[in-house]
Amino acid sequence: MMGPPPRAAGSGVRDEISPLRRVIVHRPGLEMERLTPDTRERFLFDEVLWLDRARSQHEEFSALLRREGAEVLELTDLLTEVLDVPEARAELLDGALDEWVLGSIAAQDLREALADLPSAQLVTVLIAGITIGELQQLGVQPRSIVLQRLGEQDLVLDPLPNHLFTRDSSMWVGDVAAVSPMRHTARRRESLHLETLYRRHPLFTGPDGPRRVLAPETSKAGVGTVEGGDVMVLSESTVAVGLSERTTAVGAEHLAAGLLDAGVVDRVIALALPQRRSMMHLDTVTTVVDEESMVRYGPLGQVESYVIEKVGGRLLSRAHPADEMDQVLARGMGVPSLRVITAPLDPYSAAREQWDDSCNLLALAPGKVVAYERAAATNDHLRSLGIEVLELDGDELGRGRGGPRCMTCPVLRA
């Protein structure tokens, strides 16, 4: 990995709009070749990607971020480096080779095959998965009953194509990194990778690392799931969490407890979103674009909210009716009133643009955002209100239902 460009010292994310200085992304790799018409639903994609075009678009995205002053950290590079740390390698293999998923003998077979691989090769396996045939090419003849019943092209370890959306597996709130207990089995190993990076990679174990890592044990997570696309840092004092298809009320309460106990925020606002695929995360229907404004999908309307605070050592929550949503959010952002930006579209056009991630904007600075160019009407409306929109060609990248915000895990805004 080439040396990073000059950057600001420290780490932390205290809002959604301060200039983006350091961010984790993942360029699409071999894992995307495992997506087929038969496997795409299992791996949570609506369509298969044209990989060369997706890679080209992601490279353009990373180049844009660098031009705008951000240090871009490639997830694959970070994992390759951390696998040179013996403790990290052991932890990643222990977590990835779960005998309750693979079977006891299969887990042994895989460990035998993978333990001494060069770090770059092992990262490819951890992200892209491995087939029976590829396992045999490493000189291992499967002894497991489970593996002997599989064909040469069958996957032993599943790929992680959703690593493209680095927002979801972890999020930074202030100087605390929170690792996500993910909703779907297809994504849970992503969180293992991020937790290991935050605890073991030299970049994050020194002064630039998180003050605390919140990472609940997967075995104890139960129904308490949270994904980063549902988490927005509204201000230094307040975080919003969407209660969505992917984030449960139990998960939101656990996250709130961890953040409030760490003293990194004073309150957490939970928003009761509709439970549907098109609105799978909070950032699919609304994102912050400047100090007082949020772009919002019109048909979302307003929803009930719950304010969680810690008083006298106890967690307390207060429910607010839907018609108070904007006032609750405005207080969280520290402004007298919230400017809600909704493109003036008919219901059909609005639904199409929202499906194409028109509300999933990544703020590079106050009033400057990255958006997919296909959300043309929303982008034009934002420009008419003084918001600078940098457009990205992302027709292939968005096939997993994720936009520019989804593809980034900010580590530092300053």
Side-chain angles (χ1 to χ4, degrees):
M1 180 178 176
M2 297 179 61
R7 56 174 171 76
S11 291
V13 176
R14 302 194 180 278
D15 58 40
E16 292 287 318
I17 57 170
S18 291
L20 183 65
R21 298 305 185 200
R22 191 183 310 134
V23 63
I24 300 173
V25 303
H26 174 62
R27 56 179 173 261
L30 177 62
E31 69 278 2
M32 291 298 183
E33 295 186 10
R34 312 293 199 192
L35 282 176
T36 70
D38 292 331
T39 65
R40 61 174 181 78
E41 289 187 2
R42 174 179 156 203
F43 297 132
L44 311 178
F45 273 70
D46 294 311
E47 303 174 66
V48 297
L49 276 68
W50 177 7
L51 183 53
D52 287 346
R53 183 168 174 81
R55 283 175 170 157
S56 176
Q57 290 175 349
H58 196 274
E59 288 167 4
E60 178 187 341
F61 180 48
S62 294
L64 183 158
L65 298 179
R66 292 187 181 100
R67 288 195 302 271
E68 293 298 319
E71 176 189 1
V72 177
L73 304 175
E74 290 281 359
L75 179 65
T76 300
D77 294 336
L78 294 174
L79 286 172
T80 301
E81 292 162 356
V82 83
L83 282 169
D84 289 333
V85 179
E87 297 85 356
R89 177 177 284 247
E91 289 171 4
L92 280 171
L93 286 175
D94 286 344
L97 306 181
D98 185 347
E99 63 181 34
W100 288 101
V101 175
L102 300 167
S104 297
I105 302 176
Q108 293 174 27
D109 288 344
L110 278 166
R111 180 173 284 279
E112 177 185 343
L114 305 180
D116 297 323
L117 286 182
S119 295
Q121 189 176 358
L122 180 53
V123 166
T124 298
V125 173
L126 291 175
I127 296 178
I130 190 168
T131 65
I132 288 289
E134 290 164 345
L135 186 61
Q136 291 171 332
Q137 289 172 15
L138 294 176
V140 176
Q141 292 304 316
R143 299 173 296 112
S144 162
I145 299 171
V146 176
L147 300 190
Q148 288 184 49
R149 293 172 61 84
L150 298 177
E152 184 176 327
Q153 296 302 317
D154 288 333
L155 286 161
V156 180
L157 192 67
D158 281 345
L160 301 174
N162 290 280
H163 249 327
L164 171 64
F165 306 120
T166 54
R167 174 73 58 165
D168 295 330
S169 48
S170 72
M171 74 292 299
W172 286 64
V173 179
D175 57 0
V176 170
V179 178
S180 304
M182 307 287 275
R183 170 66 179 84
H184 291 286
T185 303
R187 301 199 65 180
R188 288 176 187 163
R189 286 193 351 258
E190 297 175 43
S191 301
L192 167 68
H193 293 168
L194 272 298
E195 180 179 359
T196 303
L197 286 179
Y198 294 147
R199 295 195 188 279
R200 297 292 187 182
H201 193 287
L203 179 63
F204 298 114
T205 57
D208 289 350
R211 173 170 56 88
R212 185 180 298 186
V213 178
L214 303 179
E217 295 181 34
T218 303
S219 61
K220 295 182 179 179
V223 296
T225 61
V226 177
E227 298 192 1
D230 281 313
V231 180
M232 289 187 187
V233 187
L234 299 181
S235 66
E236 290 194 18
S237 65
T238 307
V239 164
V241 181
L243 306 180
S244 69
E245 183 190 64
R246 304 285 180 89
T247 294
T248 65
V250 172
E253 288 190 9
H254 276 290
L255 177 62
L259 296 176
L260 292 168
D261 181 63
V264 70
V265 293
D266 299 325
R267 71 188 64 84
V268 173
I269 302 169
L271 300 169
L273 299 177
Q275 305 287 296
R276 65 185 71 158
R277 167 73 169 164
S278 63
M279 302 184 187
M280 75 177 80
H281 290 137
L282 179 62
D283 67 7
T284 64
V285 291
T286 187
T287 44
V288 182
V289 296
D290 65 23
E291 296 91 339
E292 62 178 4
S293 308
M294 299 180 77
V295 63
R296 182 181 299 166
Y297 175 47
L300 172 67
Q302 299 196 61
V303 299
E304 292 180 320
S305 59
Y306 305 85
V307 177
I308 306 171
E309 296 175 305
K310 194 170 186 178
V311 180
R314 297 183 63 222
L315 290 177
L316 299 176
S317 68
R318 288 176 289 117
H320 294 264
D323 61 5
E324 294 182 9
M325 171 183 166
D326 289 341
Q327 294 94 317
V328 171
L329 290 173
R331 287 195 293 270
M333 292 174 66
V335 296
S337 61
L338 182 67
R339 180 172 70 155
V340 178
I341 299 174
T342 298
L345 301 171
D346 65 74
Y348 298 104
S349 298
R352 286 198 306 272
E353 290 224 349
Q354 187 269 337
W355 183 251
D356 285 337
D357 300 299
S358 63
C359 295
N360 191 265
L361 306 176
L362 173 68
L364 301 176
K368 178 188 283 191
V369 300
V370 183
Y372 282 155
E373 66 177 3
R374 63 193 179 197
T378 300
N379 295 346
D380 287 344
H381 185 62
L382 287 165
R383 291 189 181 103
S384 75
L385 297 175
I387 306 296
E388 183 179 355
V389 181
L390 306 181
E391 291 187 333
L392 174 71
D393 182 4
D395 59 317
E396 291 298 323
L397 295 173
R399 290 181 185 269
R401 304 270 65 82
R405 188 178 191 271
C406 291
M407 294 189 295
T408 55
C409 176
V411 173
L412 174 65
R413 286 186 180 271

